[in-house]
Amino acid sequence: MELHVLNHPLVEHKLTVLRDKNTPSSTFRELVSELVMLEAYEATRDLSVVAAPIETPVAPMTGKKLAEPRPIIVPVLRAGLGMLDGMTRLLPTAEVGFLGMKRDEEHPTQQITYANRLPDDLTGRQCFLIDPMLATGGTLVAATHYLAERGAKDVTAINIIAAPEGIKYVEEHIDPSIDFKVVVCAVDEKLNDKCYIVPGLGDAGDRLYGVID
């Protein structure tokens, strides 16, 4: 597993405002989108490209274009939807799939899959899993293996914040045959007894979309 933690003053500034409990949902959503765009720049550094002969207004040349098959972005519902706009702004030609997973509150590292809108065959596809929080690591491992069962061997997870316990869990449980990377804005202090990241930013889904009972 390759871990990349962004180190940039703009990221630190935006993340501080994001964490503030007084930041309204409208600002929270915009900041999530902006942070994801900054993360996506790093996360897409190794995208496959092919030669592309073109003519500029001055002369012919050979540039580069993204290779086929197109990459696929997979938000983990529901909080991952808040990151989708930022990803598609930077990678507009990517396809988008959806994966609904939620943590089993009685067994925090186990997941319940309740929705799937993905191609049956992901062989040769570069996949980007987006979910704001890497807390226990259970969702990320389950989602990555879900993609691997469909043939994916190149998976990059983009999370805004992570807990050390979650990173350790992923390192110990991810299938080593997968070319797996994680990009985060920050690694926080710890998980609390309810498996929430400390200091964290609260429930990302609730702060994006409001509380749903």
Side-chain angles (χ1 to χ4, degrees):
M1 169 181 148
E2 179 183 332
L3 174 66
H4 185 88
V5 183
L6 297 191
N7 180 18
H8 195 286
L10 277 178
V11 171
E12 293 174 352
H13 169 78
K14 293 177 187 295
L15 191 54
T16 298
V17 181
L18 192 76
R19 293 181 189 273
D20 190 334
K21 67 179 183 180
N22 296 313
T23 297
S25 289
S26 57
T27 304
F28 191 93
R29 286 191 294 268
E30 182 59 32
L31 286 168
V32 166
S33 183
E34 291 172 2
L35 283 166
V36 171
M37 288 182 69
L38 293 169
E39 289 187 279
Y41 183 80
E42 276 301 327
T44 56
R45 186 175 293 277
D46 296 323
L47 278 176
S48 299
V49 295
V50 293
I54 62 167
E55 287 193 20
T56 78
V58 179
M61 66 160 287
T62 300
K64 294 179 179 179
K65 289 185 177 180
L66 294 183
E68 295 287 344
R70 289 182 289 167
I72 184 167
I73 302 166
V74 182
V76 179
L77 305 178
R78 71 180 162 131
L81 286 176
M83 303 172 70
L84 184 57
D85 180 62
M87 280 297 295
T88 54
R89 283 191 202 179
L90 200 68
L91 203 57
T93 60
E95 291 185 345
V96 177
F98 298 93
L99 184 57
M101 284 187 167
K102 63 180 181 180
R103 185 166 67 192
D104 184 336
E105 296 302 333
E106 294 184 3
H107 306 90
T109 59
Q110 297 181 24
Q111 310 305 310
I112 300 169
T113 301
Y114 63 87
N116 159 33
R117 186 67 175 176
L118 292 167
D120 291 332
D121 186 5
L122 293 171
T123 303
R125 304 290 291 272
Q126 290 176 289
C127 302
F128 294 90
L129 270 172
I130 54 176
D131 194 3
M133 320 292 279
L134 199 177
T136 65
T139 297
L140 182 52
V141 170
T144 301
H145 289 171
Y146 199 92
L147 300 182
E149 289 169 4
R150 285 153 179 76
K153 290 296 182 183
D154 185 339
V155 180
T156 299
I158 301 177
N159 310 104
I160 293 176
I161 58 174
E165 296 92 332
I167 292 171
K168 184 173 185 289
Y169 182 87
V170 174
E171 287 176 333
E172 292 175 348
H173 292 85
I174 205 76
D175 184 341
S177 70
I178 303 169
D179 182 5
F180 182 69
K181 298 175 283 293
V182 178
V183 178
V184 298
C185 292
V187 178
D188 278 12
E189 179 185 344
K190 63 179 181 178
L191 292 178
N192 65 15
D193 56 1
K194 295 182 179 180
C195 291
Y196 276 77
I197 301 174
V198 178
L201 48 78
D203 187 296
D206 288 350
R207 295 195 66 187
L208 282 162
Y209 304 117
V211 179
I212 298 177
D213 294 329

